Amino acid sequence: MTRSIITSAAAAVVLVALVLLLGPIPVLIGILGIAGVIVVLRFPLVGIYALILLLPFNALVSQVAPGAVGTAYGVIKDAVIGLLLVAALVNRRFNRAPTSIAVLVALLALLPLVSGTFTPSLEQALYGWRNDYEPLLLLVLVPAFVEVRHVRRMLMTIIVTAQISAAIAIATWTQGIQWLLDIGRLPVPAGQRFPTSLFSSGSLTPRAFSPYVAPNELAAAMLISIAVVWCAPGLRTSRRLLLTLLPAAAILLTESRSGLFGAAILGAVLLARALRKSSQILSVGFLLVAGVATIAAATLYIGGALEEETDTSFGGHAASLQEGLAQLLVHPLGMGLGVVGPRSLQFETNYHVESYWLLLALEAGPLVLAIFLILLGLLANRAARSRSIVGFLPAAALSGTLVSQIVLPTLQESPVSFLLWVCVGLATVVQVQEKADPAFTLGEHSPTFEPRRRKALSVQGKPRSV
């Protein structure tokens, strides 16, 4: 007892000294950080839930919270990813993800490091890897720790956070310019660029963007959330429609063309999935329409075909994409890790391009882009062959964001990319279970999947009558 008292007193003295030396907020952040490390290492699922719950509000917290709090909030995702990697290594759980996905993710995580030799500084190279390739690790880490019984609860958590995000988007949009003043986005300090991306051409009312960093990023996140709503099990159609209203309204208020294109393509893909059982021809027809629409939308952006009939931002998108394609020939091995994209603008050496696909190719070379496209094709193929609606989620989420990936660098914003890859990882868990157990199914309308599985197994076990 005496030893415990002495230890507690010494700890209290050290804590008081740290508070006096560093201040209460840094000490509190440190204590919470140590506690978080212990919890995530012991219970990795908590880390995945933390990403789902906290990341959608990363941009908003960074804008309104004090410096230390905003910085600490921003590094949560990196800390969680690192801890999940440690936990997966210690517990030897990397083999739970499909081998093909794990190999492609490993290549996408390692090959870009070669282009880091072209980057002027190690800090910039690490920052670029963190923004562009770190989120892909979730395709391996989510299946490493998530069991099938956890999938529905996690999807419901994503839906709840999406409703909150959409409500914030609508509420802040109603405030107009005042909201930009409240978070310090206007007036623009001397030497900084006016945030033209927050306004449509000729409009005095800002586009909806909070709690994300910009309108296109909000639209992409809402599209992924709508895909989850329509691919989550245990929901009636009426509830799916109700849960779609707020995210759909948020997309409209963003005035994002890529968001509207994505919504149309997502709708066609979901309808094709619904028609698959009744008519294979109609299903294929809707998929073809979705594919043609995606190519047409991307072509309009890249070629600037609508430039004269809409606003001048089309010209900016088209010029950026055309210049990026030209630079790809000049830098076949890549410009350098962390040198390309909007996140590179804080460094002296930077290059901005309006396409996530071109961003990968310009940053790390066409080979990395080719591997990424192979990964997308593999994920879509696995989703199309899945028997359950949850297993189809990657096809829905990827189709909804495909235009955005081709013409905008939205996936460089980690809250968007983390959301996408967490959803794909959850669907992968279901796909793996489907392959291991032919009797397994996760139905669209059943609140749980176990009754169907038990019924299928019982039918298999009954003796056949002669």
Side-chain angles (χ1 to χ4, degrees):
M1 183 179 296
T2 302
R3 185 178 298 174
S4 300
I5 294 174
I6 294 174
T7 302
S8 301
V13 170
V14 171
L15 181 61
V16 171
L18 289 174
V19 170
L20 294 175
L21 181 64
L22 303 175
I25 293 181
V27 172
L28 178 61
I29 292 174
I31 294 174
L32 293 176
I34 294 173
V37 168
I38 296 172
V39 170
V40 173
L41 288 177
R42 181 67 179 84
F43 306 102
L45 283 178
V46 174
I48 299 175
Y49 273 111
L51 293 177
I52 294 172
L53 290 170
L54 300 178
L55 276 176
F57 314 104
N58 179 74
L60 184 58
V61 172
S62 300
Q63 290 167 343
V64 302
V69 176
T71 301
Y73 196 100
V75 301
I76 286 178
K77 61 182 181 300
D78 308 301
V80 169
I81 287 286
L83 293 173
L84 290 177
L85 279 171
V86 171
L89 287 170
V90 171
N91 297 304
R92 299 180 181 179
R93 297 180 71 91
F94 277 115
N95 60 349
R96 291 170 59 89
T99 303
S100 54
I101 293 178
V103 169
L104 291 173
V105 169
L107 290 174
L108 288 171
L110 297 175
L111 285 181
L113 297 177
V114 176
S115 69
T117 58
F118 306 134
T119 308
S121 67
L122 178 62
E123 177 189 2
Q124 186 172 358
L126 292 176
Y127 190 67
W129 185 88
R130 169 217 189 198
N131 291 320
D132 300 334
Y133 307 100
E134 177 187 270
L136 290 166
L137 296 176
L138 290 166
L139 291 174
V140 176
L141 294 175
V142 171
F145 298 107
V146 176
E147 304 289 345
V148 174
R149 66 179 183 273
H150 304 135
V151 170
R152 184 175 184 272
R153 288 194 293 269
M154 287 191 168
L155 292 176
M156 292 302 111
T157 305
I158 291 172
I159 291 174
V160 170
T161 57
Q163 299 299 307
I164 297 173
S165 298
I168 291 175
I170 296 170
T172 54
W173 176 84
T174 61
Q175 297 186 35
I177 293 291
Q178 184 58 46
W179 176 246
L180 297 179
L181 295 172
D182 291 341
I183 64 174
R185 297 290 290 272
L186 289 175
V188 180
Q192 295 189 15
R193 297 193 307 172
F194 184 83
T196 54
S197 63
L198 300 181
F199 295 83
S200 292
S201 180
S203 174
L204 298 178
T205 303
R207 303 158 63 188
F209 66 94
S210 285
Y212 288 84
V213 68
N216 292 317
E217 282 71 13
L218 172 63
M222 292 296 99
L223 286 169
I224 298 169
S225 303
I226 291 175
V228 173
V229 167
W230 286 92
C231 292
L235 293 175
R236 295 187 179 91
T237 302
S238 58
R239 292 182 180 178
R240 297 186 196 275
L241 290 171
L242 287 174
L243 291 170
T244 303
L245 290 178
L246 285 179
I251 292 174
L252 290 174
L253 295 179
T254 64
E255 303 178 40
S256 171
R257 290 175 290 259
S258 63
L260 295 176
F261 280 130
I265 296 168
L266 173 59
V269 170
L270 289 173
L271 187 55
R273 170 58 169 70
L275 293 172
R276 185 171 63 179
K277 293 181 180 180
S278 59
S279 174
Q280 190 72 22
I281 296 177
L282 283 176
S283 176
V284 173
F286 271 96
L287 287 177
L288 289 176
V289 169
V292 171
T294 302
I295 296 173
T299 302
L300 290 174
Y301 262 92
I302 296 173
L306 298 182
E307 180 180 350
E308 296 179 358
E309 296 156 4
T310 55
D311 57 73
T312 56
S313 68
F314 262 111
H317 286 296
S320 175
L321 291 168
Q322 290 167 351
E323 183 182 346
L325 290 171
Q327 288 294 323
L328 189 59
L329 300 176
V330 179
H331 301 278
L333 298 179
M335 293 182 171
L337 195 59
V339 174
V340 185
R343 288 292 183 176
S344 68
L345 295 178
Q346 59 184 292
F347 297 98
E348 184 176 350
T349 303
N350 60 75
Y351 183 84
H352 184 66
V353 67
E354 296 284 347
S355 169
Y356 183 71
W357 289 8
L358 269 181
L359 185 154
L360 296 179
L362 286 170
E363 185 177 65
L367 177 61
V368 170
L369 173 60
I371 296 173
F372 179 73
L373 295 180
I374 292 172
L375 175 62
L376 294 187
L378 174 65
L379 295 173
N381 181 58
R382 290 174 59 88
R385 291 188 289 109
S386 176
R387 299 191 302 273
S388 67
I389 188 64
V390 178
F392 187 74
L393 177 57
L398 290 172
S399 65
T401 60
L402 197 56
V403 173
S404 180
Q405 291 184 45
I406 296 173
V407 301
L408 293 167
T410 49
L411 284 192
Q412 199 176 48
E413 182 65 18
S414 55
V416 179
S417 56
F418 272 58
L419 175 61
L420 176 61
W421 303 128
V422 165
C423 292
V424 175
L426 292 175
T428 301
V429 174
V430 175
Q431 294 168 0
V432 170
Q433 183 64 27
E434 286 179 340
K435 184 176 181 180
D437 183 1
F440 171 82
T441 182
L442 194 55
E444 285 91 332
H445 305 291
S446 59
T448 60
F449 53 84
E450 287 298 332
R452 287 191 175 192
R453 181 172 182 269
R454 287 197 296 269
K455 182 178 179 181
L457 291 175
S458 64
V459 170
Q460 283 184 345
K462 287 182 179 180
R464 296 180 179 179
S465 59
V466 179

